[in-house]
C-alpha cells in the first residue's frame, strides 16, 4: 500500500515508529473493509455511515493527497455497493451519507495537500542548509592535477536532510598528486565534524610528510584527538566510531601508491578491464589502532600507465541494491563506460547507471574520485612551473 501511494514516512522515524506509522496508514482501509463486511452480512442493521465518512479524514493525516483520493474513492465505491445490495437507493439516509462523504473527502484532500506542501518546503530548506554545510567541507576536485585529469562526485542518500560522513580530496604536492577517499561511520553533525577533522589533517600533512603511511597516521591521530574532547560525541560514536580511508599517491613515475585502512579497494581500468587494487595485508579502519597490531609500514605500489583510469569510491556505490537485492556491479559498469569519456562525463554516466540500478533510491551516501593518467607535463608543486 505504501509503495503504491508513495506516501513518505515521518522524517527521522525509525524502527518501531515506522511500524506504527505503517499501521496507521492501514487504518482507513481496514475501516472500509469492516464496513463492507457489516453491510453484506446480517449485521447490516448497524449504521455505518459515520465510519465510511471517517475513512478519507483518517487517510488525510498519513497518506497524503493521493492516498486521501484513493481512500475517498474506495469509500464511495463501498457506499454504492452497499446501497445497491441493501436496496437503499432513494432514501434520505443514503444521500446524506454521500453528501457527508463528499464534503469530508474534499476537506481532507485540501488539508492533506497543504500539509504536504508545507512539509516539502521545510524539508527543502533543511536540505539546502545541509548541502551548504557539506560543501563547505568538501570541494570539487580540480580538473587537472599534474599528470592527471580528474573529477569528483558526491551523492546524498535518500535520508531526508541528514548529511553523511563520506570524504574525498585531491591535492598536488611536491611528492606527487595525493588523493584520499574515506567514510566516517554515522551521519549528522558528528560525522561532518569528523570529516572536517580528517580532511584538515590530510590537507596539512600531504605537503610536509614524505611518507604516505605517515600521512594516514596524521589523519588517525587527528581523529583520536577530536574524539577525546569531552562531550563532543555521544556514547555510540565513542564506542563504535571508526573511519575507513584510502590514500593514493601518483608520483611522476608510472605508478600509484596506496595506503588502505579498511576501505574498499580502488578500481584500475587498464586496456578495457577493471581490476581492484586489493592490498596484500588487510588493515583496520582508523580508530582501531590500539586493538590491532601489524599496521602497514609502507605503501603498496601498482602500475598506473598513460591511458589508465583510476576510480576511488566509498562503499555506498558497491553496496547499492536494486529491488531484487542485487548489488551494483561497479567493475562491469566501469568497463562498459570505458576510458573514452572525460572524467566528468564518466562520473555522470556512472551516476546514471547507479540511479537506474537503485531506482533513484540510494541507501547510503556516495563519493567518488576518478583520475586519468596521460602523457603530459607534471607540476612539481601547486602553482609551480611545468617540467619535462
Amino acid at each position: 500500500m505504501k509503495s503504491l501511494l508513495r506516501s513518505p514516512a515521518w522524517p527521522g522515524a525509525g524502527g518501531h515508529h515506522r511500524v506504527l506509522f505503517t499501521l496507521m496508514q492501514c487504518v482507513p482501509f481496514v475501516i472500509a473493509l469492516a464496513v463492507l463486511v457489516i453491510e453484506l452480512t446480517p449485521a447490516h442493521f448497524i449504521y455505518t455511515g459515520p465510519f465510511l465518512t471517517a475513512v478519507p479524514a483518517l487517510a488525510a493525516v498519513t497518506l497524503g493527497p493521493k492516498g486521501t483520493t484513493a481512500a475517498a474513492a474506495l469509500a464511495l465505491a463501498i457506499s454504492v455497493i452497499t446501497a445497491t445490495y441493501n436496496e437503499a437507493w432513494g432514501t434520505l439516509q443514503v444521500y446524506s451519507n454521500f453528501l457527508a462523504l463528499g464534503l469530508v473527502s474534499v476537506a481532507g484532500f485540501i488539508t492533506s495537500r497543504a500539509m504536504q506542501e508545507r512539509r516539502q518546503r521545510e524539508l527543502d530548506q533543511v536540505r539546502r542548509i545541509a548541502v551548504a554545510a557539506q560543501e563547505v567541507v568538501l570541494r570539487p576536485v580540480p580538473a587537472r592535477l599534474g599528470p592527471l585529469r580528474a573529477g569528483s562526485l558526491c551523492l546524498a542518500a535518500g535520508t531526508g536532510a541528514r548529511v553523511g560522513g563520506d570524504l574525498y580530496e585531491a591535492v598536488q604536492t611536491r611528492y606527487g598528486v595525493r588523493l584520499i577517499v574515506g567514510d566516517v561511520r554515522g551521519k549528522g553533525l558528528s560525522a561532518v565534524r569528523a570529516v572536517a577533522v580528517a580532511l584538515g589533517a590530510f590537507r596539512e600533512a600531504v605537503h610536509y610528510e614524505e611518507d604516505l603511511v605517515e600521512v594516514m597516521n596524521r589523519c588517525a591521530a587527528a581523529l583520536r584527538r577530536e574524539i577525546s574532547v569531552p562531550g563532543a560525541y555521544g556514547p555510540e560514536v565513542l564506542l563504535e566510531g571508526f573511519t575507513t580511508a584510502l590514500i593514493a599517491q601518483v608520483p611522476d613515475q608510472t605508478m600509484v601508491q596506496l595506503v588502505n585502512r579498511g576501505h574498499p579497494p580502488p578500481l584500475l581500468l587498464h586496456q578495457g578491464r577493471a581490476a581492484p587494487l586489493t592490498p596484500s595485508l588487510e588493515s583496520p579502519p582508523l580508530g582501531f589502532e590500539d586493538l590491532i597490531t601489524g599496521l602497514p609500514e609502507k605503501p603498496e605500489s601498482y602500475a598506473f600507465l598513460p591511458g589508465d583510469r583510476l576510480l576511488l569510491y566509498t562503499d555506498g556505490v558497491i553496496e547499492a541494491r536494486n529491488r531484487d537485492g542485487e548489488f551494483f556491479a561497479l567493475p562491469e559498469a566501469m568497463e562498459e563506460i570505458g576510458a573514452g569519456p572525460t572524467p566528468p562525463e564518466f562520473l555522470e554516466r556512472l551516476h546514471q547507471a547507479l540511479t537506474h540500478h537503485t531506482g533513484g533510491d540510494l541507501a547510503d551516501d556516495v563519493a567518488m574520485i576518478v583520475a586519468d593518467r596521460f602523457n603530459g607535463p607534471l607540476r612539481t608543486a601547486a602553482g609551480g612551473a611545468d617540467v619535462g
Side-chain angles (χ1 to χ4, degrees), residues 36 44 76 104 106 109 141 158 164 213 227 229 266-267 270 279 286 361 384:
L36 184 62
H44 67 84
L76 178 62
V104 173
V106 172
F109 178 85
V141 168
V213 174
I227 206 170
V229 176
L267 291 175
H270 174 70
L286 306 182
D361 186 18

Side-chain angles (χ1 to χ4, degrees), residues 244-309:
T244 65
L246 170 72
I247 295 180
Q249 176 173 285
V250 181
D252 55 351
Q253 297 90 357
T254 53
M255 68 171 65
V256 58
Q257 298 170 309
L258 302 177
V259 176
N260 194 333
R261 293 290 299 274
H263 199 77
L267 291 175
L268 182 68
L269 184 67
H270 174 70
Q271 295 182 350
R273 301 291 296 176
L277 303 184
T278 306
S280 59
L281 177 65
E282 296 290 338
S283 299
L286 306 182
F288 290 161
E289 292 83 4
D290 297 335
L291 304 178
I292 301 177
T293 59
L295 295 176
E297 298 181 356
K298 62 180 181 178
E300 299 189 27
S301 299
Y302 304 86
F304 186 25
L305 305 177
D308 289 353
R309 170 163 284 172

Side-chain angles (χ1 to χ4, degrees), residues 125-146:
Q125 182 179 6
V126 176
R127 279 174 173 167
R128 286 194 296 269
I129 295 173
V131 170
Q134 198 159 24
E135 287 180 348
V136 170
V137 180
L138 298 177
R139 58 195 181 199
V141 168
R144 171 75 179 271
L145 287 165

Side-chain angles (χ1 to χ4, degrees), residues 47 172 183 196 217 270 282 323 353:
Y47 180 48
Q172 188 174 346
D183 189 359
N217 293 339
H270 174 70
E282 296 290 338
R323 293 182 178 180

Side-chain angles (χ1 to χ4, degrees), residues 58-136:
L58 293 173
V61 178
T62 57
L63 290 175
K66 292 183 179 179
T68 303
T69 302
L74 177 62
L76 178 62
I78 292 177
S79 296
V80 172
I81 293 172
T82 56
T84 302
Y85 180 80
N86 295 320
E87 299 179 351
W89 287 107
T91 64
L92 181 62
Q93 179 179 345
V94 168
Y95 296 121
S96 298
N97 289 342
F98 276 113
L99 179 60
L101 181 59
L103 291 175
V104 173
S105 298
V106 172
F109 178 85
I110 295 174
T111 302
S112 179
R113 182 70 175 270
M115 292 173 57
Q116 184 186 60
E117 291 177 351
R118 179 180 177 182
R119 183 164 57 243
Q120 188 62 45
R121 286 195 302 269
E122 293 175 348
L123 183 58
D124 289 342
Q125 182 179 6
V126 176
R127 279 174 173 167
R128 286 194 296 269
I129 295 173
V131 170
Q134 198 159 24
E135 287 180 348
V136 170

Side-chain angles (χ1 to χ4, degrees), residues 331-354:
E332 289 80 356
M334 190 175 183
E335 291 174 358
E336 182 177 352
I337 300 172
T342 65
E345 293 170 346
F346 171 84
L347 291 174
E348 178 58 30
R349 292 177 60 176
L350 194 57
H351 178 200
Q352 294 174 359
L354 188 62

